[in-house]
Amino acid sequence: MTIAQGDKLPSVTLKTNGANGPEDLDTGELFTGKRVVLFAVPGAFTPGCSNTHMPGFVINADDILAKGVDTIACLAVNDAFVLGAWQQDQNAQAITMLADGHADFTRAIGMEKDASGAGMGTRSQRYAMIVDDGVVSYLGVDEKGVEKSSAETILANL
């Protein structure tokens, strides 16, 4: 079942880069009592993700945070080391990188896709959501391009 507006997000342990390497981050703690913008990409360093999706959030991070958002987070079915390198490459220090290496969170919300044709295995669909105290208040999923999940669309829905 795919997550929908009004649904509460599940609690799943992801990884993020800490001062001493990968650290556990529980999604229940990340979303509880906060307003979070979460966007997901099929893969770090892929062309659409690196050239279009992530840059929009980097450029608009201050405006998004100024709208009462506590955290901007990017999720990918990659490991924490890859996401840390991508964060540096994209100058995305304002964005919390979430590594869903086994696609546990992605599967739990029904947003997995089969990218094995491109040699990538199970990945996340491209989406963005606004989460208020753990509940999805906006969800935009893109099958092609970056329209419903763009930083500009998120800004318009905040």
Side-chain angles (χ1 to χ4, degrees):
M1 184 174 102
T2 303
I3 196 89
Q5 286 180 207
D7 289 349
K8 184 163 181 64
L9 290 175
S11 182
V12 175
T13 300
L14 300 172
K15 296 284 186 188
T16 191
N17 269 329
N20 298 314
E23 296 178 353
D24 288 349
L25 190 147
D26 181 76
T27 58
E29 292 176 21
L30 174 68
F31 296 117
T32 300
K34 298 176 192 139
R35 188 170 213 199
V36 177
V37 167
L38 171 66
F39 69 102
V41 298
F45 292 105
T46 59
C49 303
S50 292
N51 298 332
T52 305
H53 207 184
M54 176 65 85
F57 283 94
V58 171
I59 292 165
N60 290 291
D62 289 340
D63 292 336
I64 291 169
L65 294 169
K67 295 261 188 177
V69 171
D70 297 296
T71 303
I72 303 168
C74 175
L75 180 137
V77 180
N78 287 113
D79 65 67
F81 296 107
V82 168
L83 288 180
W86 192 43
Q87 182 181 40
Q88 294 300 315
D89 179 73
Q90 293 286 306
N91 200 21
Q93 287 71 27
I95 298 170
T96 300
M97 305 302 278
L98 302 175
D100 189 15
H102 295 290
D104 294 334
F105 182 81
T106 300
R107 282 189 182 97
I109 65 169
M111 295 299 277
E112 72 274 14
K113 75 179 218 167
D114 181 2
S116 58
M120 297 168 59
T122 300
R123 294 298 175 124
S124 175
Q125 294 182 53
R126 182 182 308 281
Y127 67 86
M129 60 175 68
I130 300 168
V131 183
D132 292 298
D133 192 22
V135 177
V136 178
S137 60
Y138 170 82
L139 174 63
V141 181
D142 287 308
E143 295 200 24
K144 288 189 177 186
V146 180
E147 183 181 324
K148 298 174 189 171
S149 65
S150 72
E152 294 79 10
T153 299
I154 289 296
L155 269 169
N157 282 280
L158 284 171

